[in-house]
Amino acid sequence: VYPFDSEEDSAADNDFVISQGILLRYKGSEEVVTIPENVTSIYQGAFMQNTAVKKVIIPKTVKSIANASFYQCPNLKIIVCAGKAGSVGSYMVYQCNALVNMVAPKGSKEYAYAKEHEIPVLRTKKTTSSFMEKTVLEAKKLHLLKGDKHTVKLYNALGSVRWSSSAPSIVAVDAKGKLQAKRVGKAKITARFGGKKHTLTVQVQTKSESKSK
């Protein structure tokens, strides 16, 4: 049951169903969704089973995010929180298995939520769109054992990422950023996205070398 008294209390803003500042439902099919600034609360199931959305930007006007606001969104990868909500449901994101990272101000309930649920989170210092869209590799250095496989994540990246290795015979990387440590040595992995380049140094060791340290 939606929290409005009559049909006149609800308003449709293109693909957004909003009532008295509450986002009841997003019905659209955009990959990147920016919630309108007249929204102060996100209702339970507002993004329920939306298969199109990949990134949601929550404005700083939002002060309440309910449980399961993002529910079974199979392609949702990024949630950007521009402000600090006073209330965040303990399961605001539920069964969104493709989620890669969140962006939130440090000290916010959204930031704490991400940490508690082991969701990689980037800390916002500014609320400009350029900062909130900044792409960051999960690490600058990585240690692997010979034979290991690991998929590198480029946070905040939607779309095609070009991956390459400086030494494919040591560490190979495929089109999805999946590394394979082939032999002992060092390689530099490069991710190119949006005209920018990010690098990660990978050190490969044998199991015996790892145990001796």
Side-chain angles (χ1 to χ4, degrees):
V1 179
Y2 287 156
F4 50 79
D5 297 326
S6 66
E7 290 185 4
E8 287 73 21
D9 290 331
S10 65
D13 179 9
N14 296 322
D15 295 324
F16 299 93
V17 180
I18 301 168
S19 173
Q20 301 175 3
I22 302 172
L23 174 58
L24 303 173
R25 185 78 167 172
Y26 174 70
K27 302 187 298 181
S29 57
E30 296 295 326
E31 290 188 353
V32 179
V33 178
T34 300
I35 294 174
E37 293 191 353
N38 63 327
V39 172
T40 58
S41 179
I42 303 176
Y43 194 61
Q44 182 175 347
F47 286 84
M48 182 171 64
Q49 297 175 338
N50 187 299
T51 59
V53 64
K54 293 183 178 180
K55 179 178 181 178
V56 175
I57 301 171
I58 303 174
K60 55 186 177 182
T61 56
V62 171
K63 301 303 179 185
S64 176
I65 305 173
N67 271 330
S69 291
F70 304 95
Y71 176 69
Q72 291 184 346
C73 300
N75 296 308
L76 178 60
K77 295 183 177 181
I78 303 167
I79 298 175
V80 178
C81 307
K84 297 181 178 182
S87 173
V88 173
S90 55
Y91 290 97
M92 63 173 266
V93 181
Y94 190 70
Q95 294 183 356
C96 298
N97 299 327
L99 189 65
V100 174
N101 71 274
M102 291 178 61
V103 181
K106 188 171 183 180
S108 67
K109 292 187 185 315
E110 295 93 329
Y111 187 90
Y113 176 91
K115 287 292 186 180
E116 179 182 352
H117 292 268
E118 299 182 342
I119 301 170
V121 57
L122 305 182
R123 182 179 64 190
T124 59
K125 296 179 181 177
K126 303 176 183 177
T127 57
T128 60
S129 59
S130 60
F131 182 86
M132 290 189 291
E133 293 175 3
K134 182 180 179 181
T135 51
V136 180
L137 271 177
E138 64 175 76
K140 292 184 178 181
K141 294 181 180 180
L142 183 66
H143 288 84
L144 297 177
L145 296 178
K146 182 180 176 181
D148 280 354
K149 294 181 180 180
H150 177 81
T151 299
V152 181
K153 294 178 181 178
L154 181 62
Y155 298 141
N156 266 10
L158 281 184
S160 178
V161 180
R162 292 173 55 201
W163 298 92
S164 61
S165 172
S166 64
S169 62
I170 298 174
V171 182
V173 60
D174 68 12
K176 294 184 178 180
K178 186 175 181 178
L179 308 181
Q180 182 175 2
K182 292 186 171 183
R183 62 183 178 88
V184 175
K186 185 183 293 186
K188 183 177 290 186
I189 303 300
T190 300
R192 291 178 173 84
F193 178 81
K196 295 184 178 180
K197 183 171 67 173
H198 305 269
T199 57
L200 165 71
T201 300
V202 182
Q203 179 71 53
V204 181
Q205 301 171 307
T206 62
K207 292 183 179 179
S208 59
E209 286 179 324
S210 177
K211 289 180 181 180
S212 67
K213 291 186 178 182

